[in-house]
Amino acid sequence: MGKLFGTDGIRGIAGEELTAELAFRLGLSVAKVLTEAEHKKTRVIIGKDTRHSGDMFEAAITAGLCAMGSDVYLVGVVPTPAVAYLVRDIGADAGVMISASHNPSEYNGIKVFGSEGYKLSDELENQIEELILGHSEFVPGEAGIGRVLSGKGMIDTYERHVVSVYGQTKNPCPRRVLFDLSNGSASTTAKYIFKPEFFENFNCDFIAYDPDGVNINRNCGSTEMNALCRYVVDGGYDIGIAFDGDADRCLMCDENGKIIDGDQILAAFAMEMKVAGQLKENTAVVTKLTNLGFHQLMKREGIAVQVTDVGDRYVLEEMLRSGSVLGGEQSGHVILLDHASTGDGQITAAMGLKLLAHYPQLTASAIFGKMKRLPQVSVNVTVPNTAKKTIMSSPAVLAKKAEIEEALGENGRILLRPSGTEALIRIMLEGDQTEQLEAYANELKALIEEML
């Protein structure tokens, strides 16, 4: 990837690393690339999450797009997968989502989707990046100046689509569900989608649904699930469901307050889809971070597994290449290609509730607990982006990594990788004994910190 685009678009601290000027030039660049490719007046949808800085970036990107002749539809605060869906639904040429996903409120980011609802290819991102960073002038073409149009009514179509994933499923056993909306994008959609009239016999309550511009992901959502787990147990709920700030991720917790991660969700979906004859190519696509317990269960169930680099874009690329329809990440990105072109937390939730309805005699822990997780330890090391490459190729770091790999043997593994969106190097170890894994992780972390 280049200097601006990471594994999930452009991201940084709003006003510092990610500025209004950069967003304006991105608007200019996206419109120029689209116009040259389509040879017509283009249409772009823009959505955002609940961060204060979203208004600033929405205005800047809109100005850039309109200056180069693109018409812009502003859909306001919506989930990221809603933008991807609506691009295809109305036949737009691109979609832009302003969000830093699970990151704190001081961050923001920009993701761009093409006309098919997929994230842009590396090639197109590189073209846009060269224009943003270059010194060429932007001259409007024959299309003239674009217009700004309201797209607020469009979200209804997306909400109905999510409801359709659950369909006409009958739920004979009343279930209580607690949703954590992360004070983010799902705050505008989830209360409508998960109504009793659509999800029969599911009584849904909600927390973290009152965004104020700075409380997105703060002690809530899929990255901070302690409160949700506690409320589920104390309130006698059957399941808890948490989204991240832009609602493209979904994690759950069972009736005992135990977290159900993305690997366990994928495992349950894969087995159910195989039984229903819906698991095309009999394959699930996952990343290098996926727990070994997932691989062990899939082998027992006769389901093939393809492994990619970390990042939902790489999962999607492999799914499209292989014809698979199920893939995702431990973090809660679950891609169901028969229903969405990207990870969609609310569709994942709808599918999870569909499972509960199909098996009224089973608890959430029974349905999603068939996959047994091997102990994993993850540690982050703060490393400037400029030093990541040097650290990763350091002989001392490579030697330490090899030493740990030898000690873990066949029943464990170590994964060392630079973050694609933050100034971090991530260390993940997996094996039989948590204490041993923690010791190895801290040794490697200390070595890296000494080198800075």
Side-chain angles (χ1 to χ4, degrees):
M1 302 298 287
K3 299 176 183 177
L4 297 177
F5 285 94
T7 55
D8 202 17
I10 300 173
R11 193 170 297 182
I13 296 176
E16 297 180 17
E17 299 161 321
L18 181 57
T19 64
E21 180 183 0
L22 191 154
F24 174 65
R25 289 188 65 82
L26 180 136
L28 292 169
S29 302
V30 167
K32 181 177 176 62
V33 169
L34 288 177
T35 301
E36 290 178 350
E38 301 296 333
H39 304 291
K40 65 179 178 66
K41 193 174 189 68
T42 55
R43 299 186 298 164
V44 181
I45 293 172
I46 298 181
K48 59 187 176 182
D49 68 18
T50 58
R51 299 162 207 268
H52 273 329
S53 60
D55 294 345
M56 174 180 72
F57 292 122
E58 178 187 66
I61 297 168
T62 299
L65 287 166
C66 289
M68 286 298 292
S70 291
D71 286 343
V72 176
Y73 292 82
L74 301 180
V75 295
V77 174
V78 295
T80 288
V83 172
Y85 175 82
L86 291 172
V87 167
R88 291 200 297 183
D89 185 60
I90 73 163
D93 300 286
V96 176
M97 180 66 187
I98 303 163
S99 173
S101 189
H102 61 285
N103 291 137
S105 62
E106 60 267 27
Y107 286 83
N108 217 325
I110 305 170
K111 308 175 188 180
V112 184
F113 295 94
S115 60
E116 295 300 314
Y118 301 124
K119 292 177 183 177
L120 295 184
S121 66
D122 290 353
E123 180 182 357
L124 278 177
E125 284 188 347
N126 288 336
Q127 288 182 35
I128 292 169
E129 186 166 286
E130 288 175 7
L131 290 171
I132 294 172
L133 298 175
H135 300 287
S136 58
E137 293 188 10
F138 292 88
V139 180
E142 296 179 0
I145 295 174
R147 299 174 301 160
V148 181
L149 305 167
S150 173
K152 287 198 177 292
M154 294 179 181
I155 194 62
D156 295 348
T157 307
Y158 166 76
E159 291 171 337
R160 289 194 296 271
H161 171 65
V162 177
V163 171
S164 73
V165 172
Y166 183 78
Q168 301 299 315
T169 307
K170 298 296 182 182
N171 178 26
C173 176
R175 306 266 196 170
R176 299 184 64 223
V177 186
L178 183 61
F179 283 91
D180 181 338
L181 307 187
S182 200
N183 291 315
S185 292
S187 301
T188 63
T189 55
K191 286 189 175 183
Y192 172 81
I193 291 170
F194 297 101
K195 292 195 298 187
E197 65 188 85
F198 301 138
F199 289 79
E200 181 183 5
N201 273 338
F202 282 106
N203 299 310
C204 300
D205 293 323
F206 302 86
I207 60 173
Y209 57 83
D210 189 21
D212 62 9
V214 296
N215 63 357
I216 185 172
N217 300 318
R218 183 194 291 168
N219 300 320
C220 60
S222 61
T223 53
E224 294 285 346
M225 293 183 63
N226 289 339
L228 177 67
C229 294
R230 185 172 67 252
Y231 293 150
V232 164
V233 174
D234 292 347
Y237 289 92
D238 295 287
I239 193 169
I241 298 176
F243 306 122
D244 65 339
D246 65 337
D248 64 350
R249 298 188 192 190
C250 172
L251 294 181
M252 306 176 187
C253 69
D254 65 22
E255 72 281 1
N256 302 310
K258 186 177 180 181
I259 290 176
I260 301 167
D261 68 14
D263 293 343
Q264 293 172 302
I265 294 170
L266 284 164
F269 286 3
M271 291 186 292
E272 184 67 14
M273 290 170 69
K274 181 180 180 181
V275 170
Q278 298 169 346
L279 189 64
K280 295 176 184 175
E281 303 302 321
N282 191 42
T283 298
V285 181
V286 297
T287 77
K288 294 176 180 178
L289 287 181
T290 296
N291 195 281
L292 288 176
F294 178 89
H295 294 272
Q296 293 169 353
L297 178 59
M298 292 299 100
K299 185 176 181 179
R300 291 195 299 271
E301 295 293 325
I303 297 173
V305 178
Q306 291 291 333
V307 180
T308 74
D309 286 336
V310 177
D312 62 320
R313 67 181 297 135
Y314 303 118
V315 172
L316 177 60
E317 286 173 3
E318 175 58 26
M319 292 173 70
L320 294 173
R321 186 199 68 78
S322 65
S324 308
V325 293
L326 176 66
E329 299 184 284
Q330 188 181 84
S331 61
H333 281 128
V334 175
I335 304 175
L336 292 151
L337 268 187
D338 284 340
H339 304 293
S341 59
T342 187
D344 189 319
Q346 291 175 121
I347 285 180
T348 301
M351 289 288 286
L353 296 185
K354 194 169 186 175
L355 273 180
L356 285 177
H358 277 166
Y359 299 100
Q361 74 280 16
L362 297 181
T363 61
S365 59
I367 292 171
F368 293 100
K370 293 179 182 178
M371 188 205 111
K372 305 304 179 184
R373 288 179 291 194
L374 271 69
Q376 276 186 341
V377 169
S378 297
V379 173
N380 294 331
V381 190
T382 301
V383 176
N385 290 324
T386 54
K388 286 180 182 177
K389 186 175 182 179
T390 301
I391 294 293
M392 290 294 297
S393 60
S394 162
V397 169
L398 294 175
K400 187 65 177 178
K401 179 174 178 286
E403 176 188 325
I404 295 172
E405 286 175 332
E406 183 177 358
L408 292 174
E410 295 182 357
N411 295 322
R413 61 178 178 139
I414 177 172
L415 183 62
L416 184 67
R417 66 183 184 92
S419 169
T421 59
E422 301 175 74
L424 299 172
I425 285 180
R426 304 189 189 278
I427 302 168
M428 191 280 287
L429 291 99
E430 197 169 54
D432 297 322
Q433 300 179 17
T434 302
E435 291 183 2
Q436 181 190 50
L437 299 176
E438 289 175 345
Y440 287 144
N442 288 328
E443 287 176 16
L444 186 52
K445 179 182 180 181
L447 174 61
I448 293 173
E449 289 177 337
E450 288 175 3
M451 300 173 65
L452 298 176

